[in-house]
Amino acid sequence: DVKVTQSSRYLVKRTGEKVFLECVQDMDHENMFWYRQDPGLGLRLIYFSYDVKMKEKGDIPEGYSVSREKKERFSLILESASTNQTSMYLCASSTTGAGAGNTQYFGPGTRLTVL
Amino acid sequence: GDSVTQMEGPVTLSEEAFLTINCTYTATGYPSLFWYVQYPGEGLQLLLKATKADDKGSNKGFEATYRKETTSFHLEKGSVQVSDSAVYFCALSDWGSQGNLIFGKGTKLSVKP
């Protein structure tokens, strides 16, 4: 079974702190994604990566950065956390090649609260 | 741009009732279509998918048919159970998008015994 793990299920941080969210997948997938999930807004793509050291902006990249130094690990970084970044963060991975039909596999999510 | 519209929730049903959650899409290309489910406290998991017109995806008693003529992918189940209570997301992935998914806003389903 594909497994996507995220470093924390719950996280509480203070405004202005630097926050790291880690995601690891064990299926040798090329593509990895970070989303945030908010009530009434569904899932919105923050960043994605289709190879090591590659990254692409999604729909809402402002206030976030990412790092992908190894194929299995994709980190989301909040340089200076703000209260409007309080949200559920979901990581996903998928293989490449077949294009649109590839399934994304999700981690359990990190619920981040910024005070 | 591409988009997905699904019926607003919440939806509350009694056990063994028939379920339909409507989903329509707009896409410039020829997308693949997905239904994901999120159980309380968990991440999303794929429920079913269809990659071409007239394909029917099915899993755990749920079905959805890819209708290109009506740009729809409605989710149905003949007899829901309490354990089906979850949030359901319709999504599409278009060719050339590198597998990126565009999600609807989700529909929360509650099934009462």
Side-chain angles (χ1 to χ4, degrees):
Chain A
D1 274 357
V2 174
K3 193 162 186 183
V4 180
T5 57
Q6 296 184 227
S7 50
S8 305
R9 292 299 301 269
Y10 300 93
L11 208 53
V12 179
K13 295 291 182 181
R14 299 228 173 255
T15 302
E17 281 193 76
K18 191 169 186 175
V19 181
F20 293 87
L21 303 182
E22 304 283 336
C23 175
V24 177
Q25 50 95 3
D26 67 357
M27 283 302 293
D28 201 35
H29 283 168
E30 293 82 5
N31 300 334
M32 296 188 75
F33 307 84
W34 274 107
Y35 297 89
R36 65 177 281 177
Q37 181 181 10
D38 300 288
L41 297 177
L43 276 77
R44 293 178 292 167
L45 181 65
I46 305 171
Y47 268 96
F48 65 100
S49 167
Y50 51 85
D51 202 353
V52 175
K53 297 193 186 293
M54 305 297 287
K55 60 184 179 184
E56 296 283 344
K57 292 180 180 179
D59 299 319
I60 52 163
E62 297 79 18
Y64 303 94
S65 62
V66 291
S67 172
R68 192 158 180 211
E69 296 296 319
K70 294 185 178 182
K71 191 175 186 180
E72 68 271 17
R73 188 180 297 270
F74 192 35
S75 302
L76 179 70
I77 303 155
L78 287 65
E79 295 289 342
S80 177
S82 63
T83 55
N84 63 12
Q85 293 178 309
T86 292
S87 186
M88 170 72 88
Y89 290 88
L90 292 165
C91 175
S93 72
S94 73
T95 188
T96 189
N102 293 329
T103 298
Q104 287 190 19
Y105 296 88
F106 283 81
T110 296
R111 186 167 293 283
L112 172 67
T113 301
V114 182
L115 301 176
Chain B
D2 295 355
S3 66
V4 174
T5 303
Q6 62 181 103
M7 63 188 284
E8 301 271 334
V11 174
T12 302
L13 296 173
S14 298
E15 208 165 21
E16 300 184 2
F18 184 85
L19 168 71
T20 300
I21 301 178
N22 290 337
C23 172
T24 57
Y25 68 89
T26 304
T28 52
Y30 202 167
S32 291
L33 302 173
F34 304 79
W35 277 101
Y36 279 82
V37 60
Q38 185 177 34
Y39 298 104
E42 299 183 12
L44 276 70
Q45 55 185 273
L46 179 70
L47 181 59
L48 53 85
K49 71 178 186 182
T51 58
K52 61 182 188 294
D54 300 324
D55 265 4
K56 178 185 282 188
S58 61
N59 186 26
K60 300 181 181 180
F62 291 89
E63 293 183 339
T65 301
Y66 188 163
R67 300 284 187 204
K68 193 168 186 292
E69 63 276 13
T70 54
T71 61
S72 65
F73 193 54
H74 304 321
L75 182 68
E76 294 182 337
K77 186 175 185 182
S79 177
V80 294
Q81 305 301 311
V82 172
S83 57
D84 294 326
S85 298
V87 181
Y88 293 82
F89 292 92
C90 185
L92 71 81
S93 179
D94 211 347
W95 285 96
S97 67
Q98 294 174 307
N100 293 356
L101 287 171
I102 295 171
F103 287 90
K105 293 184 178 180
T107 302
K108 184 175 182 179
L109 170 66
S110 295
V111 181
K112 305 298 183 186

